[in-house]
Amino acid sequence: MSDDERPEAADLFIIGGGVNGCGIARDAAGRGLSVILAEAGDLAQGTSSASTKLFHGGLRYLEFFEFRLVRESLEERETLLVAMPHISWPMRFVLPLSPEMRFDGDTPTSRLLTRIMPWMKGRRPAWLIRLGLFLYDTLGGRKILPATRSLDLTKDEAGKPLKPTFRRAFEYSDCWVEDSRLVVLNARDAEARGARIMVGARVVSAERRGDLWEVTTENAEGRRVHHARALVNAGGPWAAGVIRNVTRINSSEKIRLVRGSHIVTRRLFEHDRCYFFQGADGRIIFAIPYEGEFTLLGTTDRDHEGEPSEARCTDAERDYLLAFASTYFEKPVTKEDVVWTYSGVRPLYDDGASSATQATRDYVLSLDAAGDAPPLLNIFGGKITTYRRLAESAMAKLAPFFPKVGPAWTARVALPGGDFPYDGFDALVDGLLRDHPFLAPAHARRLARAYGTEAAAILAGARSAADLGRDFGATLTEAELRWMMEKEYARTADDALWRRTKLGLRLSAEQKKAVGAFMAAAAPAHANAD
């Protein structure tokens, strides 16, 4: 094929608009590569909007001796916190102690402890937890987050909602993250650096044609063919289907689909700390303050059969979480307290573990390339905390194919709206209230949490609430909705109310319908699709 006949080609074509796909797109675009990303639905529509919403090291993973994964995750907490202080912030976790605490049946730590101290079989003693928390404090080079401390629950406010049998606890640090906003902001930053982001564009085939990939996408307007020098499969739970049905390449590697379900209840306690609860079955769950008026309980770990998009929190999972939490809270948590449930499927690398709980959360990057054939990089597993490091590892795999690619650059580089000090959130809110005195404090805080310094652009020129346009309820205005549509790829009410925000928890059915009707009528001509 002559140069004149050679099709125009991007450097990378990425399948999947979750956190890994968008993280790789941002990293690659910032290194000078041309990038196309295609997402069949909405950004973060799958697993990346259904997490427990934590940047954390994974305290429980220490029991499986996954020290590299925990260390990398702990290092990332503060790296990410500095880059996105609007959508991520420190939280303190209270871990009540109880003699009923047990290991998950067959962890390496449990086996070792049983061998050395057979009388401790199955138990998770307080001294071992404290040792784990010491490692948790030191493995990642913690500088910003406060260290672990002991609590007397008979005197501390954290003990008030709990049963009086819980008298002691440890308190340690991790970070919250708005998971679906993290994905969108990575996509926006990738686009600002030259990437093309296509939502609502399903990849129907990808074939090697000489030294290029020929990729066909389909959306409401029909099919289109793209060419790229390398293909990245970041399909998450659908990654195996991409290999089998899109690229039609044989692979012996497998994905284990593990469903994690969560329930959101009315607020169960008044303070702003979280709980780390350990069960008699060896499992753990979190109870986390959520969206001001609610509490998030999760997660479960169950192998998932069927389509990932069909994942739902079952009644059995709901009841398990309710019963688990009720062993700790003085007032039982019932199904009448539940206001919402959600469930996501984790695409874990199948390492042959005997249970879903024990399957590794580490990521595996598999490169398929031989001779002059264009490379395919398959992404398996991973966790939201390590998405940036995963992207760097992916680029390390792909760099030999792009000799002019730039160096790693993303550490502590702000995402859109995150260009303010990690401890400057209150000052940001004060500035919004000063410049826009008609805002209620809760409204200003919500905008600052979602958009950071870009909240000022949404409010630009507004001297009264009326200047923000139509009020859809729960502080959602036309100005904010247009921002989501024009800047953040939102196309439907679900995109706006459950992924760009969580205002779906507060709006009535009629208000949600009004949002959908407005978005359908106001859809921009430059819709973010193929």
Side-chain angles (χ1 to χ4, degrees), residues 185-200:
L185 294 182
N186 270 272
R188 283 192 58 212
D189 201 43
E191 184 175 60
R193 298 174 191 276
R196 183 179 180 195
I197 307 297
M198 304 188 301
V199 296

Side-chain angles (χ1 to χ4, degrees), residues 379-392:
I379 312 295
F380 300 103
K383 56 199 292 281
I384 197 166
T385 311
T386 55
Y387 90 91
R388 192 196 66 84
R389 294 285 283 268
L390 183 152
E392 286 188 339

Side-chain angles (χ1 to χ4, degrees), residues 26-54:
R26 179 193 185 220
D27 193 324
R31 296 180 193 234
L33 298 185
S34 55
V35 178
I36 301 173
L37 180 146
E39 163 56 44
D42 181 33
L43 298 176
Q45 189 166 324
T47 306
S48 294
S49 61
S51 75
T52 312
K53 310 181 194 311
L54 299 177

Side-chain angles (χ1 to χ4, degrees), residues 122-406:
R123 296 183 185 179
R124 189 183 272 146
W127 63 263
L128 186 65
I129 295 170
R130 188 64 187 89
L131 175 61
L133 287 167
F134 171 77
L135 291 174
Y136 208 69
D137 278 347
T138 57
L139 275 176
R142 175 186 53 82
K143 295 180 180 178
I144 296 173
L145 302 175
T148 298
R149 66 172 183 147
S150 296
L151 293 183
D152 181 348
L153 293 178
T154 65
K155 299 177 181 179
D156 192 279
E157 184 183 12
K160 291 181 181 178
L162 304 180
K163 293 179 178 178
T165 51
F166 298 103
R167 303 178 64 83
R168 295 176 55 222
F170 295 127
E171 182 185 280
Y172 69 96
S173 294
D174 265 321
C175 294
W176 177 264
V177 62
E178 298 288 354
D179 53 4
S180 52
R181 291 207 59 77
L182 171 67
V183 178
V184 169
L185 294 182
N186 270 272
R188 283 192 58 212
D189 201 43
E191 184 175 60
R193 298 174 191 276
R196 183 179 180 195
I197 307 297
M198 304 188 301
V199 296
R202 184 172 65 93
V203 176
V204 295
S205 70
E207 300 181 31
R208 286 182 167 115
R209 302 288 191 191
D211 61 350
L212 295 178
W213 281 96
E214 184 177 279
V215 183
T216 302
T217 59
E218 182 178 61
N219 70 352
E221 298 175 0
R223 293 193 172 192
R224 184 170 180 179
V225 175
H226 315 262
H227 294 89
R229 297 175 182 87
L231 183 67
V232 177
N233 171 15
W238 293 272
V242 170
I243 296 171
R244 184 173 58 251
N245 303 321
V246 175
T247 67
R248 298 179 178 88
I249 292 175
N250 292 325
S251 173
S252 60
E253 290 166 309
K254 298 179 181 178
I255 293 177
R256 184 170 191 163
L257 299 182
V258 175
R259 186 173 67 251
S261 293
H262 300 75
I263 60 177
V264 175
T265 71
R266 61 172 184 81
R267 187 164 57 187
L268 300 178
F269 47 90
E270 296 301 319
H271 60 80
D272 62 358
R273 285 174 284 177
C274 315
Y275 291 103
F276 178 116
F277 292 151
Q278 304 176 89
D281 61 355
R283 289 276 300 123
I284 65 100
I285 66 167
F286 296 102
I288 305 174
Y290 189 60
E291 294 292 316
E293 303 172 25
F294 309 99
T295 300
L296 174 65
L297 298 175
T299 180
T300 60
D301 266 319
R302 297 199 176 183
D303 285 310
H304 180 75
E305 302 291 338
E307 271 295 303
S309 58
E310 297 173 357
R312 300 289 184 274
C313 179
T314 65
D315 289 349
E317 288 174 302
R318 178 202 64 195
D319 293 345
Y320 171 82
L321 292 171
L322 291 171
F324 200 143
S326 295
T327 63
Y328 281 84
F329 288 118
E330 175 71 7
K331 183 178 180 181
V333 192
T334 69
K335 63 182 181 182
E336 285 72 30
D337 294 316
V338 177
V339 298
W340 182 49
T341 69
Y342 68 90
S343 189
V345 176
R346 305 182 189 100
L348 305 183
Y349 185 75
D350 192 348
D351 59 356
S354 59
S355 71
T357 301
Q358 295 184 18
T360 182
R361 266 56 177 174
D362 210 345
Y363 55 82
V364 174
L365 309 181
S366 176
L367 185 65
D368 182 293
D372 294 330
L376 164 65
L377 183 64
N378 292 305
I379 312 295
F380 300 103
K383 56 199 292 281
I384 197 166
T385 311
T386 55
Y387 90 91
R388 192 196 66 84
R389 294 285 283 268
L390 183 152
E392 286 188 339
S393 297
M395 293 309 301
K397 290 272 191 183
L398 293 168
F401 302 94
F402 301 99
K404 295 182 180 180
V405 70

Side-chain angles (χ1 to χ4, degrees), residues 45 78 80 97 223 236 390 409 445 521:
Q45 189 166 324
E78 296 189 5
L80 299 170
L97 299 173
R223 293 193 172 192
L390 183 152
W409 64 275
R445 289 187 69 83

